[in-house]
């Protein structure tokens, strides 16, 4: 297959993965509520839920948080704060103590003002989708997310996180726009579409939580996890070009060496002996081509994902050794080369290879 055919194959895999990626990770992002988990066992509900979520909250490259997109609710600390304020108010009412009543009213006023300040701390924030560098399975993908404020009003204690991932805390108090990296660990190779990003704040006192779920149109490529192995791949093919030498071959003359006891007498250079140069033995060698092929069929006894991890290891090893290598997968053929561009093409082919589609074709 030519380079163009490789590109077509990758594009077709990408188009198949887009819809699947959106649906899969949207589900993962929105199955945390108890009601959804209970109804998730019903097939028609799953189909309806995914369709409704993607229609109501589509993926976008940029979004500005307005009052219809921000949710407000007390935190556990906030609920405890309300209970304490209510108890103070009851105590002041019971004992007719104006000082205690004033303290209760102060606490309620503080709570109401905190709601407003927390809400303003995310209102108008613009979130811009950014990309992420390709990673190997098991590593954290660092997605770039742009944050832009509408005016000179600062934003404090903004928290960004994906579901079940590490959070990122930041402030926007000096620059008009900043870029932060939000980490998440993909669970499978291929095209990774992250779930909806949660943007929240609990500023200033931590008793009110204001948040929003943002679906960003971004993705990254996850390469297979390289697994070291000792599978024999062959050392190339004998030819007239290459740097490796096989002294067991009898192809052509290589050099003369001093005769040693036990050497084949048929290889003795009698012409040199007749010239008085002593007994010399002819040594023959064959040159071996450094080029190797990573063939899918060479790893036949193993499962698909293990095959890809083994091949990924050899791709990295041959690239490190600066040894030309080719890659042959069902439907993909990359000619032997070496270099950063060739390395990216091979890793991309391994990451996006769909073993399921290949199995379907082989059974037809």
């Amino acid at each position: 297959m030519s380079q163009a055919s490789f590109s077509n194959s990758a594009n077709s895999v990408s188009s198949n993965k887009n819809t699947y990626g959106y649906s899969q990770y949207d589900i993962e992002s929105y199955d945390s509520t108890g009601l959804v988990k209970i109804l998730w066992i019903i097939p028609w509900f799953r189909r309806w839920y995914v369709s409704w979520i993607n229609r109501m909250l589509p993926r976008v490259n940029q979004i500005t948080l307005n009052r219809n997109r921000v949710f407000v609710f007390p935190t556990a600390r906030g609920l405890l704060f309300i209970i304490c304020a209510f108890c103070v108010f009851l105590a002041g009412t019971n004992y007719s103590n104006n000082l205690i009543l004033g303290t209760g009213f102060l606490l309620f006023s503080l709570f109401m003002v905190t709601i407003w300040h927390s809400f303003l701390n995310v209102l108008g924030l613009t979130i811009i989708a950014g990309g992420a560098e390709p990673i190997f399975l098991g590593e954290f993908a660092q997605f770039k997310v742009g944050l832009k404020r509408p005016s000179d009003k600062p934003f404090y204690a903004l928290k960004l996180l994906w579901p079940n991932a590490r959070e990122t805390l930041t402030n926007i108090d000096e620059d008009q726009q900043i870029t932060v990296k939000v980490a998440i660990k993909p669970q499978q190779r291929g095209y990774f579409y992250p779930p909806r990003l949660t943007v929240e704040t609990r500023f200033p006192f931590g008793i009110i939580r204001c948040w929003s779920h943002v679906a960003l149109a971004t993705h990254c490529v996850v390469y297979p996890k390289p697994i070291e192995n000792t599978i024999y791949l062959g050392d190339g093919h004998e030819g007239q070009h290459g740097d490796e030498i096989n002294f067991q071959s009898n192809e052509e003359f290589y050099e003369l060496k001093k005769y040693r006891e036990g050497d084949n007498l048929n290889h003795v250079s009698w012409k040199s002996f007749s010239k008085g140069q002593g007994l010399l033995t002819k040594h023959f060698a064959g040159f071996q081509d450094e080029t190797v092929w990573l063939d899918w069929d060479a790893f036949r006894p193993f499962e698909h994902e293990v095959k890809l991890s083994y091949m990924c290891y050899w791709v990295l090893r041959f690239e490190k050794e600066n040894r030309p290598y080719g890659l042959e997968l069902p439907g993909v053929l990359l000619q032997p080369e070496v270099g950063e561009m060739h390395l990216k093409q091979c890793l991309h082919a391994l990451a996006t290879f769909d073993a399921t589609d290949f199995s379907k074709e082989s059974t037809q």
Side-chain angles (χ1 to χ4, degrees):
M1 181 183 290
S2 62
Q3 188 67 35
S5 60
F6 164 72
S7 300
N8 294 336
S9 175
N11 291 336
S12 64
V13 173
S14 176
S15 62
N16 292 335
K17 287 287 186 179
N18 282 340
T19 303
Y20 178 75
Y22 283 177
S23 300
Q24 179 187 13
Y25 292 108
D26 289 345
I27 294 169
E28 179 182 341
S29 178
Y30 278 86
D31 65 351
S32 58
T33 60
L35 181 61
V36 172
K37 286 186 176 181
I38 294 174
L39 299 178
W40 201 252
I41 60 174
I42 305 175
W44 67 264
F45 174 79
R46 291 199 299 265
R47 293 192 296 268
W48 171 84
Y49 185 78
V50 172
S51 175
W52 178 78
I53 281 291
N54 290 328
R55 184 174 65 256
M56 296 299 296
L57 297 172
R59 291 183 178 264
V60 293
N61 293 317
Q62 178 175 319
I63 188 172
T64 299
L65 300 182
N66 54 36
R67 59 183 182 180
N68 295 324
R69 296 182 180 272
V70 179
F71 305 94
V72 182
F73 200 79
T75 63
R77 186 182 303 174
L79 294 175
L80 182 60
F81 184 91
I82 295 176
I83 295 174
C84 292
F86 184 71
C87 291
V88 171
F89 175 77
L90 288 181
T93 303
N94 186 50
Y95 293 103
S96 299
N97 190 311
N98 292 333
L99 180 61
I100 298 178
L101 283 174
T103 303
F105 289 136
L106 177 63
L107 293 177
F108 279 115
S109 300
L110 181 63
F111 184 81
M112 299 302 295
V113 172
T114 302
I115 295 177
W116 180 245
H117 279 280
S118 296
F119 180 72
L120 291 180
N121 196 51
V122 293
L123 186 66
L125 179 67
T126 299
I127 303 159
I128 305 170
E133 295 295 327
I135 61 168
F136 292 95
L137 185 62
E139 298 177 345
F140 281 91
Q142 301 284 344
F143 282 91
K144 296 180 180 179
V145 179
L147 301 176
K148 182 179 180 181
R149 58 182 179 176
S151 61
D152 294 334
K153 182 178 71 71
F155 289 82
Y156 297 111
L158 294 175
K159 181 189 297 185
L160 293 83
L161 74 158
W162 312 108
N164 303 319
R166 299 184 300 189
E167 63 184 33
T168 299
L169 292 173
T170 186
N171 299 321
I172 311 178
D173 52 359
E174 296 181 357
D175 300 326
Q176 189 71 20
Q177 179 176 340
I178 64 173
T179 300
V180 297
K181 292 184 177 180
V182 187
I184 184 173
K185 181 183 287 188
Q187 301 300 317
Q188 61 183 18
R189 64 169 180 86
Y191 291 102
F192 175 71
Y193 297 87
R196 285 176 169 80
L197 178 70
T198 299
V199 181
E200 72 171 58
T201 183
R202 303 188 182 190
F203 177 84
F205 300 121
I207 60 178
I208 296 296
R209 176 176 180 251
C210 295
W211 78 96
S212 180
H213 296 301
V214 181
L216 299 177
T218 183
H219 72 278
C220 75
V221 179
V222 182
Y223 300 144
K225 181 179 181 180
I227 299 178
E228 185 175 357
N229 60 92
T230 57
I231 299 176
Y232 177 73
L233 299 176
D235 297 319
H237 306 283
E238 289 187 358
Q240 299 301 319
H241 304 284
D243 297 328
E244 294 191 4
I245 301 172
N246 180 10
F247 289 99
Q248 302 301 323
S249 174
N250 296 326
E251 278 198 359
E252 62 180 76
F253 172 75
Y254 180 67
E255 63 179 344
L256 288 174
K257 287 187 177 181
K258 187 176 181 180
Y259 175 81
R260 294 181 180 179
E261 185 177 356
D263 287 347
N264 192 341
L265 295 178
N266 293 328
H267 292 171
V268 173
S269 176
W270 300 109
K271 183 182 294 185
S272 300
F273 179 76
S274 64
K275 294 179 180 180
Q277 298 178 358
L279 281 176
L280 299 176
T281 304
K282 298 178 183 179
H283 285 256
F284 299 87
F287 291 87
Q288 194 172 62
D289 190 0
E290 281 191 330
T291 300
V292 293
W293 279 94
L294 289 170
D295 190 356
W296 176 262
D297 293 332
F299 300 85
R300 186 179 297 276
F302 303 97
E303 297 180 354
H304 291 308
E305 295 302 322
V306 177
K307 287 182 184 180
L308 296 173
S309 295
Y310 282 177
M311 298 178 77
C312 182
Y313 165 78
W314 285 106
V315 165
L316 297 174
R317 177 171 174 177
F318 290 142
E319 183 66 31
K320 184 178 180 180
E321 296 175 354
N322 200 32
R323 184 174 182 179
Y325 57 93
L327 180 66
E328 185 173 358
L329 298 172
V332 178
L333 180 64
L334 294 175
Q335 296 298 329
E337 290 183 29
V338 70
E340 183 178 356
M341 183 62 68
H342 183 62
L343 174 63
K344 291 182 178 179
Q345 290 176 348
C346 291
L347 292 177
H348 189 275
L350 293 174
T352 57
F353 176 70
D354 196 334
T356 305
D357 291 345
F358 166 64
S359 300
K360 291 179 180 178
E361 292 177 1
S362 61
T363 56
Q364 291 178 352

